[in-house]
Amino acid sequence: MRNRFPVAHVAVFLVALLSGCASLPEATTGKVGDRRVEFALTRHPTIAVVFENGLGGRMEWWKKVIPEISKDTTTFAYNRPGYGKSDPVSSPRDGVHIVDELRALLRSEGLKPPYVLVGHSLGGLYMQLYARRYPDEVAALVLVDSTHPRQLDGDGALNRQSFLVRAVLDVSLSGAAEQELALLPQTGQQVLDLPTFAGRPVFVLSAAEPLKQTSRQAADANAKREDIQRLYPGARQIWVDSGHGIPLEKPDAVISAIREALAESAAAPSE
């Protein structure tokens, strides 16, 4: 059944198995307005690297990446509303609402732009939207096996997935994650309705192991992996010998890309 799991590109439904009960040592909770938000923040006199989780994933997905980056760089990871200890919200779980909530959270913690945005899976789609919606606030973009804006089109449609995949999704996703998946096509259109993000570093880390898969659904997902680079002229695509869970399977690849993004951002002439 391995070649029938391309939808894992948008759903990190094995997060509990992969990350266990571990938490980031800096994890805490704070208030944004009248709601509680769980986040991990380390502060240095540097630009901030901001992490966004995939569908169903919590900030512990970055536990092998953040400790290294945070040694000398400001880092911020959090759980979206309805995940972990973050309170749910009543607003729609589409990309515009999620991006604007993240933006407000960053400002509430005194983290000033521009940021290096790092997003895994569906988190990568949200970071694409952030970069397009607020390009002046983004110094660089690192997409880690990111969801494509048209991920659920064609053979990627949920109703074309195997019974096993659909059953796992039905059992594993609920609440905020279920709402995010339902609004994924809307989020993708929000991305495509805005001009592309260009003129600053974009790194596209793509999982190479799924290229071995042969089903129509896998071929569709892999074609979309390749197409993400096209969406960002000048982007650098890096194929990582990993499955979809690159932050846990090959964290050094993510760390290296973030370091390069930081270095290129620092070397870029100020506007």
Side-chain angles (χ1 to χ4, degrees):
M1 289 296 181
R2 183 177 177 182
N3 65 350
R4 298 300 302 276
F5 263 80
V7 79
H9 192 53
V10 297
V12 192
F13 47 78
L14 297 179
V15 64
L17 174 63
L18 291 172
S19 61
C21 298
S23 61
L24 297 172
E26 305 85 2
T28 186
T29 58
K31 285 281 190 176
V32 177
D34 59 354
R35 67 182 177 90
R36 181 178 58 171
V37 179
E38 185 177 23
F39 62 90
L41 171 62
T42 60
R43 295 184 187 270
H44 295 274
T46 68
I47 191 171
V49 178
V50 180
F51 295 85
E52 184 65 88
N53 316 316
L55 180 67
R58 301 180 184 181
M59 59 186 179
E60 286 79 19
W61 265 83
W62 305 104
K63 67 182 182 180
K64 296 183 178 180
V65 174
I66 288 178
E68 181 62 30
I69 299 297
S70 66
K71 288 178 181 178
D72 54 13
T73 304
T74 298
T75 60
F76 182 86
Y78 78 117
N79 286 326
R80 293 191 297 274
Y83 289 82
K85 296 178 182 178
S86 293
D87 292 335
V89 294
S90 59
S91 58
R93 298 293 81 207
D94 62 292
V96 165
H97 284 88
I98 286 169
V99 163
D100 285 352
E101 289 164 2
L102 170 58
R103 187 169 181 251
L105 178 56
L106 293 171
R107 291 171 182 265
S108 74
E109 293 301 317
L111 298 177
K112 297 180 180 180
Y115 313 110
V116 172
L117 301 181
V118 184
H120 174 239
S121 195
L122 182 57
L125 188 62
Y126 295 143
M127 290 312 206
Q128 290 180 58
L129 181 58
Y130 196 123
R132 292 182 182 222
R133 189 168 168 82
Y134 303 108
D136 293 341
E137 298 183 8
V138 181
L141 184 60
V142 180
L143 303 175
V144 185
D145 214 36
S146 173
T147 296
H148 190 283
R150 299 291 190 206
Q151 194 71 42
L152 298 186
D153 286 3
D155 284 326
L158 293 177
N159 62 8
R160 296 192 182 186
Q161 305 304 314
S162 69
F163 172 79
L164 176 60
V165 168
R166 287 183 279 116
V168 170
L169 288 173
D170 286 343
V171 170
S172 302
L173 297 182
S174 61
E178 188 175 27
Q179 296 171 44
E180 288 176 11
L181 181 60
L183 291 177
L184 194 157
Q186 180 176 324
T187 297
Q189 192 59 51
Q190 291 167 350
V191 170
L192 296 176
D193 283 344
L194 294 170
T196 191
F197 176 74
R200 273 147 286 180
V202 178
F203 294 81
V204 180
L205 275 62
S206 303
E209 285 186 10
L211 296 177
K212 304 172 186 175
Q213 301 172 358
T214 57
S215 72
R216 288 178 55 185
Q217 289 79 11
D220 177 82
N222 286 325
K224 288 166 180 169
R225 276 186 172 91
E226 295 178 359
D227 190 58
I228 288 178
Q229 182 186 28
R230 179 191 62 81
L231 299 177
Y232 299 93
R236 187 182 313 172
Q237 188 163 35
I238 302 166
W239 291 94
V240 182
D241 185 17
S242 171
H244 181 54
I246 295 175
L248 291 172
E249 296 178 50
K250 292 296 174 69
D252 287 348
V254 183
I255 292 167
S256 177
I258 294 172
R259 291 291 189 200
E260 287 192 56
L262 288 165
E264 292 186 19
S265 299
S270 57
E271 299 181 357

